[in-house]
Amino acid sequence: MAPVRGLRVVVPVLGVLLALLVSTSASFGAKPHHRDPKPVTPCSRGLVALTFDDGPSATVTPRLVRTLERLDVPATFFMVGRRIAAAPDVARLVQRAGFTIGNHTWNHTDMTTQTADEVELALRLARRAMLNAGVTPNKLMRPPYGALDDESRRAVERAGYVPVFWTVDSRDWTGLRPQEIESRVLAAVRRHATNIVLQHDGVTNSPASVRAVTGEVTTLRRRGFCFAALDESGQPTPPVPTATVTHVTRRVVEGQRAQITVRLDEPTSRPTSVGVVTRHVTSSAGDFGWTSKRVRFSVGERVATLSLPVWRDGLDEAHEEVRIGLTHGRGVLSSPHDSDTVTLVDQDSPPEVTVTGATVTSSNVIAVGAPVTVRLSQPSGRDVSVRIRTHRESAGPDDYLPLDAWMTVPAGELTAVVPVLVSPGPVDERVETVRVDVLAVRHAELAGPGAARLTIHPAAMRVAPRLTLPGPDWS
């Protein structure tokens, strides 16, 4: 039995050693696994322009267009004139999808084998095919096979075209599988360099090239590249994003800050900026912190946030509004009609209202204004309305003009005189009084009893001036 026990011990040990040996040999024989770098900021590594030659193809090009639209990627198609004439609806499909179409000559003939007149004719016939198909031509062309000598280059330039070549050759036309095409493109794209990728939608192996596009785009984006169309000079054009105000604090209390968010609809490979402006609607410029600021986006950034301080001015005011808008974009598009509104919520206490009595001496000739005064404890940011009514006490109905009316203390003012008039009266009357009551107030609070007394003294005796005559001159 002892040998059996020993065998039971040895077998598991041998199994472990065998597993280690197999895993070690496998690791030595395995190919190293390539890992993409971690995702980086979009567009920070540069631009890639996808170009497709030799189409349109009635079967391949529509599939390619759908793929590019799904990936939201711009591209440039260099089309052969006779193939446009054979499939004009496909050429129109490409243009309607927003892609650029360049001239790839009429019959894809090597230009270095042609005379200058033949070169110009090949370009002219391709242009006519575009026009007949309803496609708008541009000034970009790609020489077939990339072949262009001095004579043919001069002919191209005389015809008004800009020749466009490539920096990344997928060699998809050689029969490579989709994974091989993708690998060639990914390996050839360089950081911060001009990357113009050549692929085909009009050759026998084009279906494989179309299947490679999704992997190319996904991986290059993960590596920090953006995709670009070609401009009129044939160079990749940085994307021009659109800026919008996507969020503002709807209501902000005085003494706090409103948060404003500006967003770009896509990243770009160059620093950009846009102006943010504030326009007072029912407020004044002194109610908030600034009237314009420039928001800057670094490469690949899409969101910027800034704050608008709202001042507390100590004045009781109605809620006010400030409009936030965009202007003066640099490298971005912005609409002057894109705006949002912030409501400024006032938190200041309303003023208190008191009424101050007065003493007045009546006249026996004319009515006299009594300096009864309505007074606010502090200025207000809005008009304060006060309803005043007079009540006679010892004064008779002929001693003053009764008053029951609303009067106003203008915004920013502290006092207003109550328009009480004392009627002309005889000199022999006694001192009389009138009570002045505050019945109601608007945009303020009543302090104390809200009443005051007007004291009317009788008219002063007017003494006639004495007439002095000169004495006789006896000299």
Side-chain angles (χ1 to χ4, degrees), residues 425-442:
V427 298
D428 56 350
E429 284 192 329
R430 67 182 187 277
V431 175
E432 298 174 312
T433 60
V434 177
R435 194 175 80 248
V436 180
D437 291 334
V438 177
L439 300 183
V441 295
R442 293 174 183 164

Side-chain angles (χ1 to χ4, degrees), residues 141-388:
M141 65 82 59
R142 174 166 283 164
Y145 313 105
L148 203 64
D149 57 17
D150 291 342
E151 183 180 358
S152 56
R153 181 184 292 274
R154 286 192 292 269
V156 167
E157 292 174 351
R158 279 197 304 272
Y161 283 92
V162 176
V164 179
F165 297 90
W166 57 86
T167 63
V168 178
D169 188 353
S170 68
R171 296 188 64 81
D172 57 348
W173 55 273
T174 63
L176 298 176
R177 293 175 300 173
Q179 295 83 355
E180 295 172 322
I181 297 170
E182 177 184 338
S183 295
R184 283 189 60 86
V185 171
L186 296 178
V189 169
R190 296 288 179 263
R191 299 179 184 179
H192 310 298
T194 299
N195 294 295
I196 301 177
V197 179
L198 170 63
Q199 293 181 249
H200 295 80
D201 65 324
V203 300
T204 302
N205 197 42
S206 288
S209 197
V210 172
R211 289 196 293 273
V213 168
T214 298
E216 296 167 8
V217 170
T218 303
T219 303
L220 288 172
R221 277 178 170 160
R222 188 169 64 245
R223 293 179 180 179
F225 289 92
C226 270
F227 289 85
L230 297 179
D231 63 18
E232 58 186 13
S233 69
Q235 293 299 309
T237 305
V240 181
T242 299
T244 54
V245 177
T246 59
H247 172 76
V248 298
T249 307
R250 296 295 181 184
R251 293 168 64 87
V252 57
V253 176
E254 286 184 345
Q256 298 182 4
R257 292 174 175 265
Q259 299 300 314
I260 303 166
T261 301
V262 181
R263 186 180 297 272
L264 305 184
D265 64 342
E266 62 179 330
T268 185
S269 62
R270 56 186 173 182
T272 57
S273 65
V274 67
V276 182
V277 293
T278 56
R279 300 181 179 91
H280 47 277
V281 181
T282 57
S283 61
S284 62
D287 291 329
F288 45 88
W290 45 265
T291 57
S292 65
K293 271 186 179 293
R294 181 153 291 276
V295 177
R296 290 175 171 80
F297 298 88
S298 300
V299 170
E301 286 187 348
R302 297 180 59 183
V303 180
T305 302
L306 65 162
S307 63
L308 176 67
V310 178
W311 308 131
R312 186 164 188 172
D313 53 14
L315 297 177
D316 175 49
E317 299 169 307
H319 294 345
E320 300 170 318
E321 290 186 348
V322 179
R323 191 169 298 280
I324 312 295
L326 301 178
T327 184
H328 302 312
R330 296 174 184 167
V332 301
L333 300 175
S334 62
S335 171
H337 304 295
D338 178 56
S339 61
D340 215 329
T341 301
V342 178
T343 299
L344 310 185
V345 180
D346 184 81
Q347 290 290 288
D348 295 298
S349 301
E352 295 182 338
V353 175
T354 57
V355 59
T356 304
T359 299
V360 64
T361 300
S362 64
S363 167
N364 58 0
V365 178
I366 60 173
V368 176
V372 177
T373 303
V374 168
R375 186 176 302 276
L376 305 183
S377 59
Q378 62 193 41
S380 176
R382 45 187 170 178
D383 292 348
V384 174
S385 299
V386 183
R387 185 182 176 188
I388 297 293

